[in-house]
Amino acid sequence: MQHLEVVNQMARLILVCGPTGVGKTTYSLSLANEIKAIRFSIDPWMQTLFSKDITTIDFPWMMERVNRCSDQIWQVSEQILAIDGNVILDLGFTTKEQRDRFANRARDIGITPEIHYLDAPQDTRKQRVEKRNTEKDPSVYAFEVTDMMFNFMEPRFEIPDQEELKNGRKISA
């Protein structure tokens, strides 16, 4: 009888971050296929659950709902990681505090989180958003990002520092 060697694969948790229009979802889709991971993206969750409730851009209101969705996504992610599955979180991770919250959750269950930071010039990102808004490709388009939304989010993104990236990477997108 032939014995199959069981290779214990260590689960991976990848947090994808970057400013608006940098290509987080496109990158996450490609990476999920490459490493056989379950991918969670915040945009469709927010679109499905809260788009009808949005009357104006209110950052605290929006972040409270993003955090609710993120907590639910984490509950499922934790189950996937527990069975050595790979998880990619495309949740925006606008702030260091958001990234730290997920990185600490991962460490609490014995997973070393990887932060993949995507970066591109503002004009390039703005062109990508315009293209996405026009093409409405369902694999990456959840809702229209207006100039007002783009400009609103631009100063709010906090670039990861070297300590955050020690197990991850910076990608020029």
Side-chain angles (χ1 to χ4, degrees), residues 16-43:
V16 178
C17 73
T20 303
V22 77
K24 295 180 295 290
T25 299
T26 301
Y27 174 79
S28 296
L29 285 164
S30 176
L31 185 60
N33 187 50
E34 180 185 323
I35 68 169
K36 307 297 182 237
I38 303 296
R39 177 189 64 88
F40 292 96
S41 181
I42 196 66
D43 289 351

PDB file of all heavy atoms in Angstrom, residues 16-43:
ATOM      1  N   VAL A  16      -4.718  43.356   2.198  1.00  0.00           N
ATOM      2  CA  VAL A  16      -4.367  44.178   1.046  1.00  0.00           C
ATOM      3  C   VAL A  16      -4.818  45.606   1.319  1.00  0.00           C
ATOM      4  O   VAL A  16      -5.983  45.854   1.635  1.00  0.00           O
ATOM      5  CB  VAL A  16      -5.023  43.642  -0.246  1.00  0.00           C
ATOM      6  CG1 VAL A  16      -4.698  44.538  -1.437  1.00  0.00           C
ATOM      7  CG2 VAL A  16      -4.575  42.209  -0.515  1.00  0.00           C
ATOM      8  N   CYS A  17      -3.879  46.542   1.223  1.00  0.00           N
ATOM      9  CA  CYS A  17      -4.223  47.937   1.483  1.00  0.00           C
ATOM     10  C   CYS A  17      -3.625  48.843   0.417  1.00  0.00           C
ATOM     11  O   CYS A  17      -2.694  48.464  -0.293  1.00  0.00           O
ATOM     12  CB  CYS A  17      -3.766  48.362   2.882  1.00  0.00           C
ATOM     13  SG  CYS A  17      -1.992  48.577   3.079  1.00  0.00           S
ATOM     14  N   GLY A  18      -4.189  50.018   0.339  1.00  0.00           N
ATOM     15  CA  GLY A  18      -3.711  51.030  -0.591  1.00  0.00           C
ATOM     16  C   GLY A  18      -4.796  52.064  -0.780  1.00  0.00           C
ATOM     17  O   GLY A  18      -5.956  51.839  -0.423  1.00  0.00           O
ATOM     18  N   PRO A  19      -4.455  53.191  -1.359  1.00  0.00           N
ATOM     19  CA  PRO A  19      -5.438  54.259  -1.562  1.00  0.00           C
ATOM     20  C   PRO A  19      -6.455  53.904  -2.652  1.00  0.00           C
ATOM     21  O   PRO A  19      -6.281  52.922  -3.395  1.00  0.00           O
ATOM     22  CB  PRO A  19      -4.579  55.459  -1.955  1.00  0.00           C
ATOM     23  CG  PRO A  19      -3.341  54.863  -2.520  1.00  0.00           C
ATOM     24  CD  PRO A  19      -3.116  53.561  -1.815  1.00  0.00           C
ATOM     25  N   THR A  20      -7.481  54.690  -2.754  1.00  0.00           N
ATOM     26  CA  THR A  20      -8.549  54.491  -3.737  1.00  0.00           C
ATOM     27  C   THR A  20      -7.980  54.412  -5.155  1.00  0.00           C
ATOM     28  O   THR A  20      -7.141  55.219  -5.547  1.00  0.00           O
ATOM     29  CB  THR A  20      -9.555  55.662  -3.659  1.00  0.00           C
ATOM     30  OG1 THR A  20     -10.057  55.730  -2.323  1.00  0.00           O
ATOM     31  CG2 THR A  20     -10.703  55.471  -4.627  1.00  0.00           C
ATOM     32  N   GLY A  21      -8.445  53.391  -5.897  1.00  0.00           N
ATOM     33  CA  GLY A  21      -8.095  53.265  -7.305  1.00  0.00           C
ATOM     34  C   GLY A  21      -6.748  52.640  -7.588  1.00  0.00           C
ATOM     35  O   GLY A  21      -6.315  52.600  -8.735  1.00  0.00           O
ATOM     36  N   VAL A  22      -6.082  52.111  -6.574  1.00  0.00           N
ATOM     37  CA  VAL A  22      -4.743  51.565  -6.767  1.00  0.00           C
ATOM     38  C   VAL A  22      -4.776  50.155  -7.368  1.00  0.00           C
ATOM     39  O   VAL A  22      -3.778  49.688  -7.891  1.00  0.00           O
ATOM     40  CB  VAL A  22      -3.929  51.608  -5.444  1.00  0.00           C
ATOM     41  CG1 VAL A  22      -4.349  50.496  -4.494  1.00  0.00           C
ATOM     42  CG2 VAL A  22      -2.429  51.566  -5.710  1.00  0.00           C
ATOM     43  N   GLY A  23      -5.927  49.483  -7.288  1.00  0.00           N
ATOM     44  CA  GLY A  23      -6.030  48.142  -7.861  1.00  0.00           C
ATOM     45  C   GLY A  23      -6.076  47.026  -6.827  1.00  0.00           C
ATOM     46  O   GLY A  23      -5.693  45.893  -7.113  1.00  0.00           O
ATOM     47  N   LYS A  24      -6.555  47.330  -5.633  1.00  0.00           N
ATOM     48  CA  LYS A  24      -6.594  46.331  -4.556  1.00  0.00           C
ATOM     49  C   LYS A  24      -7.431  45.112  -4.939  1.00  0.00           C
ATOM     50  O   LYS A  24      -7.015  43.976  -4.726  1.00  0.00           O
ATOM     51  CB  LYS A  24      -7.147  46.952  -3.266  1.00  0.00           C
ATOM     52  CG  LYS A  24      -6.265  48.032  -2.669  1.00  0.00           C
ATOM     53  CD  LYS A  24      -6.840  48.619  -1.399  1.00  0.00           C
ATOM     54  CE  LYS A  24      -8.132  49.368  -1.580  1.00  0.00           C
ATOM     55  NZ  LYS A  24      -8.012  50.645  -2.297  1.00  0.00           N
ATOM     56  N   THR A  25      -8.594  45.349  -5.515  1.00  0.00           N
ATOM     57  CA  THR A  25      -9.469  44.233  -5.857  1.00  0.00           C
ATOM     58  C   THR A  25      -8.887  43.407  -6.996  1.00  0.00           C
ATOM     59  O   THR A  25      -8.884  42.169  -6.934  1.00  0.00           O
ATOM     60  CB  THR A  25     -10.892  44.741  -6.187  1.00  0.00           C
ATOM     61  OG1 THR A  25     -11.399  45.400  -5.021  1.00  0.00           O
ATOM     62  CG2 THR A  25     -11.814  43.606  -6.580  1.00  0.00           C
ATOM     63  N   THR A  26      -8.364  44.058  -8.014  1.00  0.00           N
ATOM     64  CA  THR A  26      -7.744  43.341  -9.133  1.00  0.00           C
ATOM     65  C   THR A  26      -6.571  42.497  -8.627  1.00  0.00           C
ATOM     66  O   THR A  26      -6.439  41.316  -8.976  1.00  0.00           O
ATOM     67  CB  THR A  26      -7.268  44.339 -10.212  1.00  0.00           C
ATOM     68  OG1 THR A  26      -8.403  45.081 -10.673  1.00  0.00           O
ATOM     69  CG2 THR A  26      -6.591  43.633 -11.371  1.00  0.00           C
ATOM     70  N   TYR A  27      -5.733  43.083  -7.788  1.00  0.00           N
ATOM     71  CA  TYR A  27      -4.600  42.363  -7.209  1.00  0.00           C
ATOM     72  C   TYR A  27      -5.087  41.189  -6.370  1.00  0.00           C
ATOM     73  O   TYR A  27      -4.568  40.073  -6.475  1.00  0.00           O
ATOM     74  CB  TYR A  27      -3.767  43.326  -6.358  1.00  0.00           C
ATOM     75  CG  TYR A  27      -2.641  42.654  -5.600  1.00  0.00           C
ATOM     76  CD1 TYR A  27      -1.442  42.316  -6.242  1.00  0.00           C
ATOM     77  CD2 TYR A  27      -2.771  42.353  -4.249  1.00  0.00           C
ATOM     78  CE1 TYR A  27      -0.418  41.700  -5.549  1.00  0.00           C
ATOM     79  CE2 TYR A  27      -1.747  41.740  -3.545  1.00  0.00           C
ATOM     80  CZ  TYR A  27      -0.579  41.412  -4.198  1.00  0.00           C
ATOM     81  OH  TYR A  27       0.443  40.791  -3.514  1.00  0.00           O
ATOM     82  N   SER A  28      -6.090  41.427  -5.542  1.00  0.00           N
ATOM     83  CA  SER A  28      -6.610  40.384  -4.654  1.00  0.00           C
ATOM     84  C   SER A  28      -7.188  39.209  -5.438  1.00  0.00           C
ATOM     85  O   SER A  28      -6.996  38.049  -5.061  1.00  0.00           O
ATOM     86  CB  SER A  28      -7.673  40.962  -3.719  1.00  0.00           C
ATOM     87  OG  SER A  28      -7.120  41.925  -2.876  1.00  0.00           O
ATOM     88  N   LEU A  29      -7.906  39.502  -6.513  1.00  0.00           N
ATOM     89  CA  LEU A  29      -8.459  38.439  -7.359  1.00  0.00           C
ATOM     90  C   LEU A  29      -7.348  37.576  -7.947  1.00  0.00           C
ATOM     91  O   LEU A  29      -7.422  36.346  -7.926  1.00  0.00           O
ATOM     92  CB  LEU A  29      -9.298  39.039  -8.491  1.00  0.00           C
ATOM     93  CG  LEU A  29     -10.667  39.582  -8.113  1.00  0.00           C
ATOM     94  CD1 LEU A  29     -11.214  40.485  -9.219  1.00  0.00           C
ATOM     95  CD2 LEU A  29     -11.632  38.437  -7.834  1.00  0.00           C
ATOM     96  N   SER A  30      -6.326  38.220  -8.470  1.00  0.00           N
ATOM     97  CA  SER A  30      -5.202  37.503  -9.062  1.00  0.00           C
ATOM     98  C   SER A  30      -4.456  36.675  -8.018  1.00  0.00           C
ATOM     99  O   SER A  30      -4.152  35.501  -8.246  1.00  0.00           O
ATOM    100  CB  SER A  30      -4.255  38.507  -9.726  1.00  0.00           C
ATOM    101  OG  SER A  30      -3.123  37.857 -10.236  1.00  0.00           O
ATOM    102  N   LEU A  31      -4.173  37.276  -6.874  1.00  0.00           N
ATOM    103  CA  LEU A  31      -3.449  36.581  -5.813  1.00  0.00           C
ATOM    104  C   LEU A  31      -4.261  35.408  -5.265  1.00  0.00           C
ATOM    105  O   LEU A  31      -3.711  34.334  -5.000  1.00  0.00           O
ATOM    106  CB  LEU A  31      -3.085  37.556  -4.699  1.00  0.00           C
ATOM    107  CG  LEU A  31      -2.215  37.008  -3.572  1.00  0.00           C
ATOM    108  CD1 LEU A  31      -0.864  36.506  -4.094  1.00  0.00           C
ATOM    109  CD2 LEU A  31      -2.010  38.077  -2.502  1.00  0.00           C
ATOM    110  N   ALA A  32      -5.560  35.588  -5.104  1.00  0.00           N
ATOM    111  CA  ALA A  32      -6.424  34.510  -4.606  1.00  0.00           C
ATOM    112  C   ALA A  32      -6.360  33.304  -5.526  1.00  0.00           C
ATOM    113  O   ALA A  32      -6.288  32.155  -5.071  1.00  0.00           O
ATOM    114  CB  ALA A  32      -7.863  34.995  -4.454  1.00  0.00           C
ATOM    115  N   ASN A  33      -6.356  33.545  -6.818  1.00  0.00           N
ATOM    116  CA  ASN A  33      -6.246  32.462  -7.788  1.00  0.00           C
ATOM    117  C   ASN A  33      -4.876  31.792  -7.697  1.00  0.00           C
ATOM    118  O   ASN A  33      -4.769  30.566  -7.730  1.00  0.00           O
ATOM    119  CB  ASN A  33      -6.499  33.012  -9.197  1.00  0.00           C
ATOM    120  CG  ASN A  33      -6.566  31.919 -10.223  1.00  0.00           C
ATOM    121  OD1 ASN A  33      -7.273  30.933 -10.059  1.00  0.00           O
ATOM    122  ND2 ASN A  33      -5.817  32.086 -11.296  1.00  0.00           N
ATOM    123  N   GLU A  34      -3.848  32.610  -7.576  1.00  0.00           N
ATOM    124  CA  GLU A  34      -2.466  32.110  -7.532  1.00  0.00           C
ATOM    125  C   GLU A  34      -2.196  31.233  -6.305  1.00  0.00           C
ATOM    126  O   GLU A  34      -1.560  30.186  -6.415  1.00  0.00           O
ATOM    127  CB  GLU A  34      -1.510  33.296  -7.538  1.00  0.00           C
ATOM    128  CG  GLU A  34      -0.042  32.938  -7.493  1.00  0.00           C
ATOM    129  CD  GLU A  34       0.832  34.175  -7.388  1.00  0.00           C
ATOM    130  OE1 GLU A  34       0.500  35.211  -8.007  1.00  0.00           O
ATOM    131  OE2 GLU A  34       1.844  34.103  -6.682  1.00  0.00           O
ATOM    132  N   ILE A  35      -2.665  31.644  -5.136  1.00  0.00           N
ATOM    133  CA  ILE A  35      -2.335  30.908  -3.909  1.00  0.00           C
ATOM    134  C   ILE A  35      -3.517  30.090  -3.376  1.00  0.00           C
ATOM    135  O   ILE A  35      -3.440  29.540  -2.282  1.00  0.00           O
ATOM    136  CB  ILE A  35      -1.797  31.836  -2.796  1.00  0.00           C
ATOM    137  CG1 ILE A  35      -2.888  32.773  -2.270  1.00  0.00           C
ATOM    138  CG2 ILE A  35      -0.567  32.589  -3.275  1.00  0.00           C
ATOM    139  CD1 ILE A  35      -2.500  33.512  -1.000  1.00  0.00           C
ATOM    140  N   LYS A  36      -4.581  30.013  -4.148  1.00  0.00           N
ATOM    141  CA  LYS A  36      -5.781  29.256  -3.744  1.00  0.00           C
ATOM    142  C   LYS A  36      -6.302  29.760  -2.406  1.00  0.00           C
ATOM    143  O   LYS A  36      -6.241  29.083  -1.387  1.00  0.00           O
ATOM    144  CB  LYS A  36      -5.497  27.751  -3.681  1.00  0.00           C
ATOM    145  CG  LYS A  36      -4.891  27.171  -4.934  1.00  0.00           C
ATOM    146  CD  LYS A  36      -5.843  27.297  -6.110  1.00  0.00           C
ATOM    147  CE  LYS A  36      -5.263  26.662  -7.361  1.00  0.00           C
ATOM    148  NZ  LYS A  36      -5.177  27.582  -8.472  1.00  0.00           N
ATOM    149  N   ALA A  37      -6.807  30.978  -2.421  1.00  0.00           N
ATOM    150  CA  ALA A  37      -7.284  31.625  -1.204  1.00  0.00           C
ATOM    151  C   ALA A  37      -8.742  32.042  -1.356  1.00  0.00           C
ATOM    152  O   ALA A  37      -9.234  32.256  -2.466  1.00  0.00           O
ATOM    153  CB  ALA A  37      -6.432  32.859  -0.893  1.00  0.00           C
ATOM    154  N   ILE A  38      -9.392  32.184  -0.232  1.00  0.00           N
ATOM    155  CA  ILE A  38     -10.720  32.783  -0.182  1.00  0.00           C
ATOM    156  C   ILE A  38     -10.510  34.286  -0.020  1.00  0.00           C
ATOM    157  O   ILE A  38      -9.743  34.720   0.833  1.00  0.00           O
ATOM    158  CB  ILE A  38     -11.544  32.250   1.008  1.00  0.00           C
ATOM    159  CG1 ILE A  38     -11.658  30.719   0.950  1.00  0.00           C
ATOM    160  CG2 ILE A  38     -12.911  32.922   1.068  1.00  0.00           C
ATOM    161  CD1 ILE A  38     -12.398  30.181  -0.246  1.00  0.00           C
ATOM    162  N   ARG A  39     -11.172  35.064  -0.870  1.00  0.00           N
ATOM    163  CA  ARG A  39     -11.004  36.516  -0.870  1.00  0.00           C
ATOM    164  C   ARG A  39     -12.283  37.176  -0.388  1.00  0.00           C
ATOM    165  O   ARG A  39     -13.382  36.826  -0.801  1.00  0.00           O
ATOM    166  CB  ARG A  39     -10.693  36.998  -2.284  1.00  0.00           C
ATOM    167  CG  ARG A  39     -10.567  38.503  -2.413  1.00  0.00           C
ATOM    168  CD  ARG A  39     -10.488  38.913  -3.877  1.00  0.00           C
ATOM    169  NE  ARG A  39     -11.690  38.588  -4.616  1.00  0.00           N
ATOM    170  CZ  ARG A  39     -12.756  39.387  -4.721  1.00  0.00           C
ATOM    171  NH1 ARG A  39     -12.759  40.570  -4.143  1.00  0.00           N
ATOM    172  NH2 ARG A  39     -13.805  39.023  -5.418  1.00  0.00           N
ATOM    173  N   PHE A  40     -12.106  38.130   0.500  1.00  0.00           N
ATOM    174  CA  PHE A  40     -13.217  38.955   0.952  1.00  0.00           C
ATOM    175  C   PHE A  40     -12.918  40.395   0.558  1.00  0.00           C
ATOM    176  O   PHE A  40     -11.845  40.900   0.844  1.00  0.00           O
ATOM    177  CB  PHE A  40     -13.389  38.876   2.478  1.00  0.00           C
ATOM    178  CG  PHE A  40     -13.837  37.532   2.962  1.00  0.00           C
ATOM    179  CD1 PHE A  40     -12.912  36.610   3.419  1.00  0.00           C
ATOM    180  CD2 PHE A  40     -15.182  37.191   2.957  1.00  0.00           C
ATOM    181  CE1 PHE A  40     -13.321  35.369   3.870  1.00  0.00           C
ATOM    182  CE2 PHE A  40     -15.600  35.943   3.404  1.00  0.00           C
ATOM    183  CZ  PHE A  40     -14.664  35.031   3.871  1.00  0.00           C
ATOM    184  N   SER A  41     -13.881  41.027  -0.101  1.00  0.00           N
ATOM    185  CA  SER A  41     -13.747  42.418  -0.495  1.00  0.00           C
ATOM    186  C   SER A  41     -14.854  43.222   0.177  1.00  0.00           C
ATOM    187  O   SER A  41     -16.021  42.813   0.152  1.00  0.00           O
ATOM    188  CB  SER A  41     -13.851  42.542  -2.019  1.00  0.00           C
ATOM    189  OG  SER A  41     -13.694  43.874  -2.416  1.00  0.00           O
ATOM    190  N   ILE A  42     -14.511  44.349   0.760  1.00  0.00           N
ATOM    191  CA  ILE A  42     -15.479  45.149   1.510  1.00  0.00           C
ATOM    192  C   ILE A  42     -16.512  45.831   0.607  1.00  0.00           C
ATOM    193  O   ILE A  42     -17.662  46.022   1.017  1.00  0.00           O
ATOM    194  CB  ILE A  42     -14.761  46.187   2.417  1.00  0.00           C
ATOM    195  CG1 ILE A  42     -15.723  46.745   3.479  1.00  0.00           C
ATOM    196  CG2 ILE A  42     -14.145  47.303   1.598  1.00  0.00           C
ATOM    197  CD1 ILE A  42     -16.201  45.770   4.490  1.00  0.00           C
ATOM    198  N   ASP A  43     -16.148  46.194  -0.607  1.00  0.00           N
ATOM    199  CA  ASP A  43     -17.044  46.981  -1.462  1.00  0.00           C
ATOM    200  C   ASP A  43     -18.400  46.310  -1.715  1.00  0.00           C
ATOM    201  O   ASP A  43     -19.437  46.954  -1.539  1.00  0.00           O
ATOM    202  CB  ASP A  43     -16.369  47.344  -2.780  1.00  0.00           C
ATOM    203  CG  ASP A  43     -15.270  48.381  -2.614  1.00  0.00           C
ATOM    204  OD1 ASP A  43     -15.144  48.944  -1.506  1.00  0.00           O
ATOM    205  OD2 ASP A  43     -14.533  48.620  -3.584  1.00  0.00           O
TER     206      ASP A  43
END
